[in-house]
Amino acid sequence: MLKTARLEAFSDGVFAIAITLLVIEIKVPEDTAHLWEQLGHLWPSYLGYVISFLVIGLIWANHHAMFDHIASADRVLLFLNTILLMLVALIPFTAGVLASALRNHEGERTAVVLYGVVLVAGGLPFNATWEYARRGHRLLGDTITPDEARTMSRRFLKGPLLYGVGTALGALLPVLGIIAFSLLIPFYWLPPLTRRIKT
């Protein structure tokens, strides 16, 4: 068994890079003679930036909460966590696609569905990581009981389902998908119903 310190450090680095890449999508206006108007035209980029920054932030926060209780890792856990990070790193791309579609008023439905599919896909290895670690309490420490671990599981499992609903709504009407994704942010920023993260 391996300690989780290097896994967590690597994960934090990927989260930090992904969340920083989001700002690259916000292009500096070239027409400074009409700067206020040009800045206003960038609203899709601002929207994609804010939603995606908070989404990546909440994934990081819940990842932190999860690994507060995972005491050791093995090769399977490392692989599952790597797949999760691969999908997190894709979020800046989907945010850029979404902003471009909204700005051009073309392809909004496809862009929202793509954004949602990546969020749903990311929820799968996130849940797989936790479920693998908690089964039989195989990789968990003594900071959490089996009942508390099951409570966290139920909370985490809602993620892909709710993002799936948001994606379906976005396929019908793009603005509904964006609203759904936005509303899920405060829901998942609420602290999990387990012990507080150790400081």
Side-chain angles (χ1 to χ4, degrees), residues 39-150:
L39 289 171
H41 288 163
L42 292 173
W43 71 265
S45 295
Y46 304 146
L47 179 65
Y49 174 78
V50 171
I51 292 175
S52 300
F53 198 102
L54 293 175
V55 165
I56 294 176
L58 71 86
I59 296 171
W60 171 81
N62 283 299
H63 187 272
H64 194 313
M66 177 167 63
F67 274 90
D68 190 49
H69 304 298
I70 297 176
S72 57
D74 59 15
R75 300 285 289 187
V76 173
L77 192 80
L78 292 176
F79 174 75
L80 293 172
N81 190 71
T82 299
I83 298 300
L84 167 62
L85 297 178
M86 179 182 72
L87 292 163
V88 168
L90 194 57
I91 293 177
F93 168 73
T94 60
V97 171
L98 179 61
S100 179
L102 293 174
R103 189 164 47 247
N104 296 326
H105 304 291
E106 293 178 341
E108 294 101 326
R109 180 175 285 103
T110 299
V112 171
V113 170
L114 173 66
Y115 192 89
V117 165
V118 169
L119 295 182
V120 172
L124 300 180
F126 187 100
N127 277 278
T129 299
W130 177 246
E131 291 301 318
Y132 178 78
R134 84 169 185 89
R135 289 298 178 185
H137 227 74
R138 61 157 68 90
L139 299 177
L140 301 185
D142 58 4
T143 59
I144 191 170
T145 67
D147 285 342
E148 289 172 330
R150 281 192 292 273

Side-chain angles (χ1 to χ4, degrees), residues 50-51 54-55 58 163 180-190:
V50 171
I51 292 175
L54 293 175
V55 165
L58 71 86
Y163 281 118
F181 299 148
S182 299
L183 291 177
L184 287 173
I185 291 171
F187 172 77
Y188 269 103
W189 265 111
L190 295 173

